[in-house]
Amino acid sequence: MKTEDVIRAVVADNASIQRPIGQTITRALGAGALAGSVVFCGLLGLRPDFAWVLANSARFDFKLFFTIAVAACAFLLTRRLARPDGAGKTVAWAFAIPIGALAVAVVMELNALPSDRWLIHARGSNWLACMTMIPVLSLAPLIAIFYALRQGAPSSPAIAGAAGGLLAAAIGATLYATHCSDDSPLFVSIWYPIGITFVAVAGALAGRRLLRW
């Protein structure tokens, strides 16, 4: 049977395919997030003033909003791309929300700070930890998400792998954000995307080999 015939057969059985793969990805996401949390607690843990900044710091709250919003968008994209007829263009537009919000936050930060403080806030004090710990905390979620993706039939393995990597990275970034003391949108706009992109690229490379069918 040709690949096109297989795709048409799977699409025709939409009702029986979409729900199971969606459930599989959701369960894998939960298991991966739990495993990542265990790693996080063993390596880092919450910042000492977590409860205070959560209740009193708009910058900290926005940092969590950004990573969680990216995770939500990546989840929708990954679930869509796990199907052979999955097209992620419509879902991809959802990323305009966290990206646009971050852009606005950066502009507000630049207006609020003296220009001689811009570089200090952008560099922060944890830039190296940010770039390294996001991928580390993303590893367990990435393994779980790839297990789920292998139960589906993505028509574009590399793109689906990149989406899965993005989802895992957003989980890792959310975990790391609860430890990181650098809350400036300038810092978040530079170092968080670097760590997230690294995992997404790794997911794309792995997807080319592991998600082919």
Side-chain angles (χ1 to χ4, degrees):
M1 181 180 292
K2 296 182 179 180
T3 301
E4 293 80 3
D5 296 331
V6 175
I7 293 175
R8 281 194 291 268
V10 173
V11 172
D13 199 19
N14 180 67
S16 65
I17 294 297
Q18 186 172 5
R19 186 177 179 184
I21 190 59
Q23 289 179 349
T24 300
I25 293 176
T26 301
R27 291 173 181 173
L29 179 62
L34 178 61
S37 298
V38 172
V39 175
F40 168 76
C41 291
L43 294 179
L44 299 174
L46 297 174
R47 55 191 284 178
D49 60 346
F50 174 78
W52 187 90
V53 294
L54 184 63
N56 298 281
S57 174
R59 289 177 176 175
F60 179 78
D61 292 341
F62 175 79
K63 182 172 65 174
L64 287 182
F65 162 78
F66 173 73
T67 59
I68 293 173
V70 172
C73 295
F75 170 73
L76 295 175
L77 183 61
T78 301
R79 189 173 63 175
R80 178 72 62 85
L81 293 175
R83 294 175 43 79
D85 62 331
K89 292 182 179 180
T90 55
V91 176
W93 281 105
F95 285 98
I97 297 174
I99 294 173
L102 182 58
V104 171
V106 167
V107 171
M108 293 175 64
E109 184 85 337
L110 292 175
N111 288 331
L113 293 174
S115 58
D116 60 347
R117 301 287 298 175
W118 291 355
L119 182 59
I120 295 174
H121 281 252
R123 184 173 56 211
S125 57
N126 298 286
W127 62 271
L128 182 58
C130 183
M131 287 194 301
T132 56
M133 291 310 302
I134 288 178
V136 169
L137 297 173
S138 302
L139 182 58
L142 183 63
I143 293 173
I145 292 166
F146 259 69
Y147 169 80
L149 286 173
R150 286 178 60 85
Q151 312 309 305
S155 57
S156 300
I159 297 177
L166 182 60
L167 175 55
I171 295 171
T174 301
L175 291 171
Y176 178 72
T178 64
H179 170 84
C180 179
S181 59
D182 289 304
D183 300 331
S184 171
L186 295 174
F187 181 91
V188 174
S189 68
I190 297 172
W191 306 111
Y192 277 69
I194 291 177
I196 290 173
T197 299
F198 177 82
V199 182
V201 171
L205 295 175
R208 291 179 61 184
R209 300 189 60 181
L210 301 178
L211 301 180
R212 290 185 299 178
W213 55 284

